[in-house]
Amino acid sequence: AQFGSIQMSQSSGIFTFPSTGFYKIDFIALISYGNVADNQTVIKTQITTDNSSYSDIARASAGLHDTSGGNVHENASEVSTLIDVTNTSNVKVKFEAQSINNTTTVKGDSTRNETFFTFIRLGDT
């Protein structure tokens, strides 16, 4: 759901802020693992302050290091952070999920939140 009249914009996975200010950002991911021994995923919130180079501002891991394999695991993982957006042309954010195996799925659904982001403007910068 979207609230208010000013919304984030997104192009090619890069999110642009509608106005300057302090923002709370949450990245929640529902992760499904296939039938492998190591099931580990890192989710990241990345920021740029120069509209060019990105760095991790928040990260979390999910999964299980299990050498026996044979199980399917689902995990939810959450990353929260605060960002001071001083310039909407230069300060932008993107999200990433990295896994050590190729059977990992970051789940999504068009009728309910499974993997999603929330942006809440807290106040002026």
Side-chain angles (χ1 to χ4, degrees):
Q2 295 180 345
F3 302 99
S5 60
I6 301 174
Q7 305 299 327
M8 296 290 295
S9 59
Q10 181 271 141
S11 176
S12 300
I14 296 174
F15 289 81
T16 301
F17 295 88
S19 63
T20 60
F22 289 98
Y23 287 80
K24 180 179 185 284
I25 301 173
D26 295 310
F27 174 14
I28 295 89
L30 180 61
I31 303 163
S32 176
Y33 297 104
N35 192 11
V36 295
D38 269 330
N39 299 312
Q40 298 176 0
T41 303
V42 174
I43 64 171
K44 304 175 184 181
T45 300
Q46 299 177 318
I47 188 172
T48 180
T49 57
D50 63 5
N51 195 27
S52 178
S53 56
Y54 285 82
S55 59
D56 296 352
I57 192 167
R59 58 191 298 166
S61 61
L64 175 66
H65 176 71
D66 177 4
T67 58
S68 64
N71 296 317
V72 174
H73 307 281
E74 287 197 35
N75 288 287
S77 189
E78 177 178 355
V79 173
S80 293
T81 191
L82 295 176
I83 294 179
D84 183 4
V85 178
T86 56
N87 181 314
T88 59
S89 296
N90 289 331
V91 179
K92 298 182 182 188
V93 68
K94 66 181 181 177
F95 304 94
E96 183 177 296
Q98 291 180 325
S99 179
I100 62 170
N101 67 63
N102 61 3
T103 62
T104 300
T105 303
V106 177
K107 303 200 47 125
D109 192 285
S110 62
T111 61
R112 64 181 177 267
N113 284 344
E114 288 186 347
T115 297
F116 59 95
F117 322 105
T118 60
F119 300 86
I120 299 172
R121 186 176 185 279
L122 299 174
D124 294 336
T125 185

